[in-house]
Amino acid sequence: MEIADGHDGSYEPGDAARFSGQVSLRPSFSTPSGTGMSVVHFAAGARTHWHRHPEGQLLYAISGRGRVRSRDGQSHLLAPGDIVYAAPGEWHFHGGCPDSPMAHVAVSMGGSPEWGDPVTDEEYAEGLS
């Protein structure tokens, strides 16, 4: 058994190759099959770049308000308790609302995600105003 002790409070800053804005990630473990879990905190307006996961991703919003959108235009305003499933290979992004930070638990399944371009301000606002 491995345990990531939540009391130590260690977070890493999100890097510019995957995130726009101020983002902090709690280091996590990965299983031999490539499933991993992390806690991610987004400042207001911060977000991931477009990305997709080989076997999909689960998001569980734990605080604040956020947004998630897929390239096909489906979008959702996140609130604590919301659960989102991005299907295998589905390009999507997620992050804080323009006026609110957001934190979520992210479960990435089946290996490393493929990262794409940063989400433009227009894409970030589309369908979620």
Side-chain angles (χ1 to χ4, degrees):
M1 178 184 321
E2 294 182 59
I3 298 171
D5 189 344
H7 299 286
D8 72 12
S10 62
Y11 280 79
E12 300 171 354
D15 61 87
R18 301 181 298 160
F19 301 97
S20 298
Q22 186 178 352
V23 178
S24 299
L25 300 98
R26 174 97 166 107
S28 68
F29 302 114
S30 292
T31 67
S33 67
T35 296
M37 184 178 85
S38 56
V39 177
V40 186
H41 291 261
F42 296 89
R47 55 206 180 248
T48 67
H49 290 190
W50 288 107
H51 63 287
R52 61 185 177 176
H53 299 264
E55 297 298 324
Q57 184 179 43
L58 292 167
L59 304 173
Y60 176 69
I62 55 177
S63 68
R65 290 188 331 272
R67 45 181 58 179
V68 59
R69 185 167 81 81
S70 67
R71 276 226 168 113
D72 71 6
Q74 185 177 11
S75 60
H76 181 72
L77 292 171
L78 291 167
D82 288 355
I83 300 171
V84 174
Y85 172 63
E90 180 178 18
W91 286 99
H92 66 285
F93 77 84
H94 32 100
C97 278
D99 61 350
S100 176
M102 186 269 295
H104 65 45
V105 174
V107 178
S108 301
M109 299 172 286
S112 298
E114 177 182 350
W115 291 94
D117 295 330
V119 174
T120 66
D121 289 342
E122 293 77 19
E123 291 169 325
Y124 174 71
E126 187 177 323
L128 294 163
S129 310

